[in-house]
Amino acid sequence: MATRKSQTLDLAILGTLKEGELHGYELRKRALSLIGQVRSLSYGSLYPALRELTERGYLEVDDRAALGIRRGANPRARIAYSLTSAGKEHLNSLLAESGPKEWEDDSFVVRFALFSQTDLRVRVRILEGRHTRLVERLETIRESLSRGRERMDTWTLELQRHGEEAVEREVRWLNELIDNAKTEEKEMNK
Amino acid sequence: MATRKSQTLDLAILGTLKEGELHGYELRKRALSLIGQVRSLSYGSLYPALRELTERGYLEVDDRAALGIRRGANPRARIAYSLTSAGKEHLNSLLAESGPKEWEDDSFVVRFALFSQTDLRVRVRILEGRHTRLVERLETIRESLSRGRERMDTWTLELQRHGEEAVEREVRWLNELIDNAKTEEKEMNK
DNA sequence: CCCTGTTATATCGTGACGATATATCGAATT
DNA sequence: AATTCGATATATCGTCACGATATAACAGGG
């Protein structure tokens, strides 16, 4: 059994499927509207993933259309996938656990898009993790900027400057979100 | 002979090597300072690329250190790579030609970082190409924003909003750069 | 009743890269 | 002077992700 890696893709699929059963084609579109900004999602990744998640018991297949016959022959069969209860559990544990590379662009965006299904405390943890990561990146950039200053190519410099700005913006954005979340947290504890 | 695809990597390597001979390890660091923001560059990609570029005659190897003996056995051998004249030509043609996917993040960043070696007219073309591409992306985002409005998840919405802003900024940035370039162009024609 | 575009599932080859091995050197640390 | 440790440096291999592509059914405009 081809063991895939990317938990990110699993998350995206399971998270999208949380709101009801879907067939592959539609699933892809929905998932892309979540994560399309930073990731692509080709069928070459999607269908193998769907198959494996089914094998593992996280997904259930309801293929009324293509019952039994002509597997793999008839497109337009509309094979509907839905979460099993094990699948829901798995989704929850994925949402709660902190995987490796949790703060990478891909992973963060997916987790963020699924925030409405995520516990408030976990949300804060994810936001803060991303924050730390970005501040680190900012330091790296600034260091390289001050180190090079005179020696560096004009255009490389300009690129770096622009990159710095973008990261700064995202840090500020995160700050706001973290503030909001913490306020919300306090109000719930009252 | 393993034929690689990515012209982007070729560009990065040749462009970095334009300023003088380097060995792999150092080359990687320099190249990363150019494109590190958007791309990673692992040895698993770098060394095969170096080998192939050498085979194609674009690179020349000057391994004083590891002359003849113990190939592949001795690290620290400091194998220095430098551009051949064919390599310089190839670099120039890569810079001038418009490859497929010219406006992807990766490709654009590399081409931008090498602007000091790029003809002014080509610079403008690249900037404008990138501009069009981003405006398209912006339209897609906006469309999806207005289509969903009420129906869409709060967090997905917020993510999209933030993404929109980032793209808008980059468009403005490009506008400035294009203006500058065009001004420069006119002054040269006087 | 074509023709074109969209919906839909599915697979395959391969290129890219993470992980890892190996080894040397310089500079602290003891 | 011995020893540790991190940085320097080259190299390869297995495998995963995905682009490209095939197939075909359907809707609807002309």
Side-chain angles (χ1 to χ4, degrees):
Chain A
M1 69 190 114
T3 48
R4 290 170 316 98
K5 283 281 173 60
S6 168
Q7 331 79 316
T8 302
L9 182 54
D10 289 3
L11 246 182
I13 292 177
L14 298 174
T16 306
L17 242 31
K18 181 73 176 289
E19 315 196 343
E21 66 170 34
L22 289 173
H23 51 94
Y25 191 81
E26 181 65 20
L27 173 57
R28 175 171 181 262
K29 284 202 297 182
R30 302 265 184 110
L32 271 182
S33 82
L34 291 189
I35 57 169
Q37 306 183 33
V38 285
R39 261 187 134 270
S40 60
L41 177 47
S42 73
Y43 294 118
S45 313
L46 178 61
Y47 283 108
L50 284 174
R51 200 182 312 138
E52 195 193 323
L53 288 172
T54 306
E55 274 173 19
R56 285 207 225 150
Y58 298 142
L59 294 184
E60 208 169 17
V61 170
D62 168 32
D63 52 351
R64 286 165 293 206
L67 238 183
I69 336 159
R70 306 202 294 174
R71 302 310 315 277
N74 184 9
R76 280 272 172 169
R78 286 173 162 283
I79 300 174
Y81 298 87
S82 55
L83 287 186
T84 63
S85 55
K88 283 175 196 166
E89 266 180 56
H90 187 55
L91 171 58
N92 287 331
S93 74
L94 279 180
L95 284 173
E97 276 169 23
S98 49
K101 314 191 176 180
E102 195 180 8
W103 322 121
E104 302 252 316
D105 289 10
D106 290 14
S107 181
F108 172 71
V109 167
V110 173
R111 282 160 190 274
F112 187 93
L114 299 178
F115 261 18
S116 58
Q117 302 169 35
T118 307
D119 180 70
L120 185 56
R121 249 169 297 170
V122 177
R123 297 214 287 253
V124 174
R125 206 199 58 213
I126 291 176
L127 290 172
E128 286 181 334
R130 175 72 172 175
H131 187 273
T132 330
R133 161 57 79 103
L134 286 186
V135 170
E136 279 170 22
R137 213 190 277 181
L138 211 48
E139 274 164 15
T140 313
I141 296 178
R142 281 177 181 154
E143 198 187 327
S144 114
L145 273 176
S146 67
R147 211 170 358 91
R149 251 314 165 240
E150 291 300 317
R151 233 172 319 158
M152 213 185 287
D153 179 278
T154 322
W155 296 103
T156 310
L157 218 65
E158 176 62 21
L159 197 59
Q160 221 109 7
R161 231 193 29 65
H162 180 252
E164 187 191 7
E165 230 176 82
V167 180
E168 277 170 357
R169 297 220 123 233
E170 191 166 346
V171 169
R172 261 177 265 145
W173 181 63
L174 284 171
N175 279 332
E176 277 179 46
L177 290 171
I178 291 172
D179 278 356
N180 289 349
K182 286 199 168 166
T183 312
E184 201 183 329
E185 211 175 15
K186 274 177 196 160
E187 278 179 16
M188 287 193 72
N189 287 345
K190 265 196 290 202
Chain B
M1 73 191 110
T3 47
R4 291 170 316 100
K5 286 280 172 60
S6 167
Q7 330 79 316
T8 303
L9 183 53
D10 288 4
L11 246 183
I13 292 176
L14 297 174
T16 307
L17 242 31
K18 181 72 177 289
E19 315 196 343
E21 66 170 34
L22 288 173
H23 50 94
Y25 190 81
E26 181 66 20
L27 173 57
R28 176 171 179 262
K29 284 202 298 182
R30 301 266 184 109
L32 272 181
S33 81
L34 292 189
I35 57 170
Q37 304 183 34
V38 285
R39 261 187 132 270
S40 61
L41 177 47
S42 73
Y43 294 118
S45 313
L46 177 61
Y47 283 109
L50 284 173
R51 200 181 312 137
E52 195 191 325
L53 288 172
T54 307
E55 274 172 21
R56 284 207 226 149
Y58 298 143
L59 295 185
E60 204 170 19
V61 170
D62 169 30
D63 54 349
R64 283 166 295 205
L67 239 183
I69 334 158
R70 306 203 292 175
R71 300 315 311 276
N74 185 9
R76 282 285 191 166
R78 288 172 162 281
I79 300 174
Y81 298 87
S82 56
L83 288 184
T84 63
S85 54
K88 283 175 197 167
E89 266 179 57
H90 186 55
L91 171 59
N92 287 330
S93 75
L94 280 180
L95 284 173
E97 277 168 24
S98 49
K101 314 192 177 181
E102 195 180 6
W103 322 120
E104 303 252 317
D105 289 11
D106 291 14
S107 181
F108 172 72
V109 167
V110 172
R111 281 160 191 273
F112 187 93
L114 298 178
F115 262 17
S116 58
Q117 301 168 36
T118 308
D119 181 69
L120 185 55
R121 248 168 298 170
V122 177
R123 297 213 288 251
V124 174
R125 206 199 58 212
I126 290 176
L127 290 172
E128 285 180 335
R130 175 72 173 176
H131 186 272
T132 331
R133 161 57 79 100
L134 286 187
V135 170
E136 279 170 23
R137 213 190 277 181
L138 212 46
E139 273 164 16
T140 312
I141 296 179
R142 279 176 182 153
E143 197 187 329
S144 116
L145 272 177
S146 68
R147 214 177 348 97
R149 249 316 164 241
E150 292 301 318
R151 232 173 321 160
M152 211 185 287
D153 180 277
T154 323
W155 296 103
T156 310
L157 218 65
E158 176 61 24
L159 197 59
Q160 221 109 5
R161 233 196 26 67
H162 180 252
E164 187 191 6
E165 229 178 82
V167 180
E168 276 171 356
R169 297 219 123 234
E170 192 166 345
V171 169
R172 263 177 264 144
W173 180 62
L174 285 171
N175 279 332
E176 278 179 47
L177 290 171
I178 291 171
D179 278 356
N180 288 348
K182 286 198 168 166
T183 313
E184 201 183 328
E185 211 173 15
K186 273 175 196 161
E187 280 180 14
M188 286 191 73
N189 286 347
K190 266 196 293 203

